[in-house]
Amino acid sequence: MLEQALWIGCKEDMGDVCPQFCRKFQVEREVKAAQLEITAVGVYEACLNGKRVGEFILAPGCTAYKERLQCQTYQLEGVRMGENILTVTVGKGWHRGRISEKDTEVNGMPCALIAQLTLEYVDGSRETIVTDESWSVGESPIRFSDIYDGEVYDAGFSGGEWEPVKIEALSRDRLIAQEGEEIREQERIRPVRLFTSPKGERIVDFGQNFAGYLELSVNAPAGTRIVISHGEILDSQGNFYTENYRTAKAVLTYICKEGQQTYKPHFTFFGFRYIRLDEFPMEVDLDCFRGIAIYSSMERTGHIQCSHAGLNRFFENVLWSQRANFIDIPTDCPQRDERMGWLGDAQVFAKTACYNYDSEKFFEKWLRDVRCEQLENGAVPDIVPNFWKTPKASTAWGDAITVIPWQIYQMYGNTRVLEENFEAMKRWVDYITKDSLEPYLWTSGQGAKKLWEKHYGDWLALDAPYGSYRGATDPDFIASAFYAHSTLLLVKAGKVLGKDVSSYETLYENIVKTFRERFGEYSTQTQHVLALQFHLTQDRQKTADALAQMIRENKNRLKTGFVGTPYLLYALSENGYVQSAYDLLLQEEYPSWLYEVNHGATTIWEHWDGIRDDGVLWSSDMNSYNHYAYGSVMDWVYTVAAGIRTDEDAPGFERAVIAPMPDRRLKWLEVSVKTRHGEICSKWVCEEEKIRYEITTPVPAAIIIEGKEYQVEPGSYIF
Ligand code: BGC
């Protein structure tokens, strides 16, 4: 790609200042079409004659940069007769910002730009302008920009000297065409309130936690300084709170030019609901501010509405946490000094994500990054891109490489994703086989401490002592259960692709057999859940009965963490305990999904007890209020409560199974899912005498109502 263009950079590093590259060109004949191919080491924003090119925010996006750097192609409008000017400002972004500083190889690369402009004239001739010595570079008004720390913009900056560029000796080998969805500006959010905190801080509340930035509109004299901090929540006294951002400064500084002006940041984003006006020496009016949510541009496919206002708010919260954490890669959180592509989080949330939004392209692209970061021994690191250079592979995190391709295949009928990932899936399973100290299990056998260092376990589960991050479930148990799960998914994928997977079938049988011998007794909720969901228990009913009893004895409260929670409701409803599943879903007391809603959450919290009943916050050390993992319960609502599933043997909803499971505590539930073959709707209404079901399917389906199965053709049905 971009074969004729050269990488250009700055003769002298500009430090914090974002350089602006510039090329003037003359047009003397009528232009039919103009195309710009472009990418940068960092993030860029291109402008033609002062007008932004395209809508991609933080282009070229986030990839495993060492091997993959996306190039974008834009059809340009606005080329005019006479002189034109193309400018490209380059910020540090993920590639050179603080976020990747532990990956010195990636982070240490110089700021650089590569581009090719092709002009196609009406007379049929063509001209190309490429990045080379003919470009110049100067300082931009962006004096500082970093994804974690924010931006400093001097609107009064009148431009410095234009200097010749430096040709950078960087390779073009890692350039690839754009694969993912573009990150774009999405919702615009009006603030709801301006108030003064007990400490005297002026705070603006947007009423919604989201990821993006604000647009500022002010009328001010030149030189006025505006400084704004971002925060997700208020502390128990109602003061502004940013400790949970850890070292991420998340501050915006804007130096005004004269008069009416509008500004929004260029190369950073924040996870926030509140802003604090640290310096704002003028009248404040809510109209000075608009929130702008940014995320990967995916089509919304799933909708859920029901008679319970709290649950509806909860579903909204899940959607908002997905939006905030689908900024080109699936991240844990959008606010603190992390925002990493954690595999465990993505793995547990992938199914919900695919129901909410068309996430096929998003995940396919990221899975290519995952494969790129897979270690030689087959280990799949915990985060991708592996900016922390972690050499570690944890159960339930690395398993994203088997779980997500299978999910994408099921949801979209995409066999390419299985083909592309099959080798990587196999290498992951082989890695576990080699890594374990005991055949057919994944045990580390190195003593408890080491074991925990290896695996995250049932991350943030509540059956551990208060303050601990790791639940009580034995990590050897979890690791061996996921070993079985991943091997089974590998076998299934192999069969779809027509491969000989007989040795893995045998391996799977041996894992199940050995697991049963080794782990006969279950004590935690998560152990019961995994044993049921991964078909490891020998006596399903006994295990399900015991789980339901544990939940009942615990006053219908869960104790599960990242590993157990996504499957918890399935483990109950699929084994005769639909009501217990609803008991948990509808629980309002701590710990529960609705507890968060009742405490004002507008996104999903990282910890069940992010804010305790007495107002005390979980330690600032690791406490995000925008972490989608526990939002994964939403796929249970789509697939069990509303009962909308693909037939596993006709994936991608070529055939559907629609088996709603209502509960009278909800008066009604209405769910729709846009599939590749049309929209499926499932609604139930609890009437006095009976429950009425209204189902629309665009594909042949098995509709299962209160145990009775009907084979139907596309159409609308009432039961
Ligand atoms: C992240 C998690 C992640 C975990 C791994 C945290 O810091 O925010 O969501 O999965 O580390 O243990």
Side-chain angles (χ1 to χ4, degrees), residues 305-323:
Q305 277 290 321
C306 70
S307 57
H308 190 301
L311 268 187
N312 288 336
R313 179 66 242 192
F314 171 73
F315 301 138
E316 275 299 305
N317 294 0
V318 180
L319 287 162
W320 276 108
S321 281
Q322 177 167 0
R323 293 170 187 142

Side-chain angles (χ1 to χ4, degrees), residues 343-345 347-348 394-400 428 442 455 457 478 482 563:
L343 272 73
D345 309 43
Q347 181 266 114
V348 305
S394 164
T395 185
W397 269 247
D399 297 285
W428 169 244
W442 190 9
H455 298 300
I478 298 173
F482 268 90
V563 166

Side-chain angles (χ1 to χ4, degrees), residues 86-250:
L86 182 63
T87 52
V88 185
T89 312
V90 180
K92 294 186 176 171
W94 293 277
H95 205 314
R96 293 182 301 114
R98 215 148 67 69
I99 194 165
S100 63
E101 69 191 356
K102 288 189 192 145
D103 185 351
T104 45
E105 211 180 322
V106 159
N107 192 268
M109 286 191 205
C111 167
L113 170 73
I114 190 165
Q116 171 167 328
L117 171 67
T118 308
L119 298 170
E120 206 185 313
Y121 293 103
V122 171
D123 64 12
S125 60
R126 277 168 169 262
E127 192 182 344
T128 55
I129 294 165
V130 295
T131 40
D132 57 16
E133 296 86 347
S134 67
W135 287 60
S136 32
V137 64
E139 294 189 357
S140 76
I142 307 173
R143 314 309 289 167
F144 170 87
S145 198
D146 182 83
I147 286 182
Y148 286 162
D149 294 331
E151 195 158 294
V152 178
Y153 190 92
D154 183 354
F157 178 75
S158 54
E161 297 292 301
W162 290 108
E163 308 268 350
V165 295
K166 173 182 173 200
I167 304 300
E168 292 287 0
L170 292 169
S171 139
R172 277 191 216 89
D173 294 352
R174 64 191 178 126
L175 300 185
I176 53 166
Q178 169 70 21
E179 289 179 355
E181 306 278 10
E182 289 190 0
I183 304 164
R184 293 212 181 149
E185 291 188 351
Q186 313 278 352
E187 290 82 359
R188 288 178 72 83
I189 303 164
R190 277 181 79 87
V192 291
R193 161 172 95 106
L194 167 73
F195 63 98
T196 304
S197 73
K199 273 193 190 161
E201 308 152 307
R202 278 186 302 169
I203 299 175
V204 176
D205 177 6
F206 286 86
Q208 174 62 53
N209 197 6
F210 66 100
Y213 38 72
L214 57 97
E215 187 180 71
L216 189 66
S217 302
V218 288
N219 193 346
T224 310
R225 220 172 103 98
I226 293 174
V227 180
I228 291 173
S229 296
H230 299 72
E232 281 190 298
I233 53 152
L234 302 175
D235 69 12
S236 53
Q237 266 80 53
N239 293 309
F240 197 70
Y241 180 81
T242 53
E243 275 168 48
N244 65 330
Y245 282 37
R246 302 194 303 218
T247 69
K249 294 192 187 77

Side-chain angles (χ1 to χ4, degrees), residues 195-455:
F195 63 98
T196 304
S197 73
K199 273 193 190 161
E201 308 152 307
R202 278 186 302 169
I203 299 175
V204 176
D205 177 6
F206 286 86
Q208 174 62 53
N209 197 6
F210 66 100
Y213 38 72
L214 57 97
E215 187 180 71
L216 189 66
S217 302
V218 288
N219 193 346
T224 310
R225 220 172 103 98
I226 293 174
V227 180
I228 291 173
S229 296
H230 299 72
E232 281 190 298
I233 53 152
L234 302 175
D235 69 12
S236 53
Q237 266 80 53
N239 293 309
F240 197 70
Y241 180 81
T242 53
E243 275 168 48
N244 65 330
Y245 282 37
R246 302 194 303 218
T247 69
K249 294 192 187 77
V251 171
L252 215 57
T253 303
Y254 178 71
I255 322 283
C256 298
K257 59 185 177 190
E258 186 69 32
Q260 185 65 43
Q261 52 209 293
T262 301
Y263 158 77
K264 53 189 182 184
H266 299 257
F267 300 132
T268 187
F269 65 92
F270 311 95
F272 69 109
R273 167 176 169 171
Y274 300 94
I275 52 170
R276 183 180 59 201
L277 308 179
D278 299 329
E279 290 181 42
F280 202 88
M282 59 198 98
E283 275 288 296
V284 187
D285 175 344
L286 285 185
D287 279 334
C288 298
F289 313 102
R290 278 293 173 279
I292 301 178
I294 62 160
Y295 51 91
S296 291
S297 208
M298 305 161 293
E299 189 194 347
R300 174 87 182 270
T301 46
H303 290 86
I304 304 182
Q305 277 290 321
C306 70
S307 57
H308 190 301
L311 268 187
N312 288 336
R313 179 66 242 192
F314 171 73
F315 301 138
E316 275 299 305
N317 294 0
V318 180
L319 287 162
W320 276 108
S321 281
Q322 177 167 0
R323 293 170 187 142
N325 286 295
F326 272 48
I327 297 182
D328 212 26
I329 56 166
T331 55
D332 55 340
C333 58
Q335 75 297 81
R336 66 180 178 222
D337 55 356
E338 198 153 345
R339 312 186 202 187
M340 291 289 160
W342 281 99
L343 272 73
D345 309 43
Q347 181 266 114
V348 305
F349 190 70
K351 189 169 176 183
T352 292
C354 290
Y355 272 86
N356 286 339
Y357 279 94
D358 185 336
S359 310
E360 182 184 24
K361 204 167 155 188
F362 176 88
F363 275 124
E364 266 197 295
K365 170 241 171 205
W366 181 66
L367 283 168
R368 293 188 188 127
D369 292 309
V370 175
R371 296 203 298 279
C372 203
E373 299 280 25
Q374 188 169 22
L375 305 179
E376 227 154 80
N377 62 2
V380 178
D382 304 333
I383 57 170
V384 170
N386 196 354
F387 292 143
W388 285 354
K389 303 301 288 171
T390 138
K392 182 165 140 339
S394 164
T395 185
W397 269 247
D399 297 285
I401 195 61
T402 55
V403 172
I404 299 179
W406 185 252
Q407 177 55 39
I408 300 295
Y409 167 65
Q410 282 297 308
M411 199 69 192
Y412 306 110
N414 175 345
T415 46
R416 182 188 54 227
V417 77
L418 294 185
E419 269 156 34
E420 277 191 17
N421 287 286
F422 185 74
E423 262 321 294
M425 294 163 84
K426 208 161 99 178
R427 288 176 59 215
W428 169 244
V429 169
D430 292 346
Y431 162 76
I432 299 174
T433 305
K434 277 185 251 121
D435 190 65
S436 181
L437 292 186
E438 286 168 86
Y440 308 127
L441 297 172
W442 190 9
T443 54
S444 306
Q446 297 157 327
K449 193 161 171 285
K450 278 272 166 49
L451 214 72
W452 284 125
E453 278 169 14
K454 189 178 184 77
H455 298 300

Side-chain angles (χ1 to χ4, degrees), residues 6 76 97 123 160 219 314 327 364 400 533 555 606-607 659 693 701:
L6 302 174
L76 289 190
D123 64 12
N219 193 346
F314 171 73
I327 297 182
E364 266 197 295
Q533 278 317 98
K555 302 199 183 96
E606 177 173 24
H607 293 264
Y693 300 84

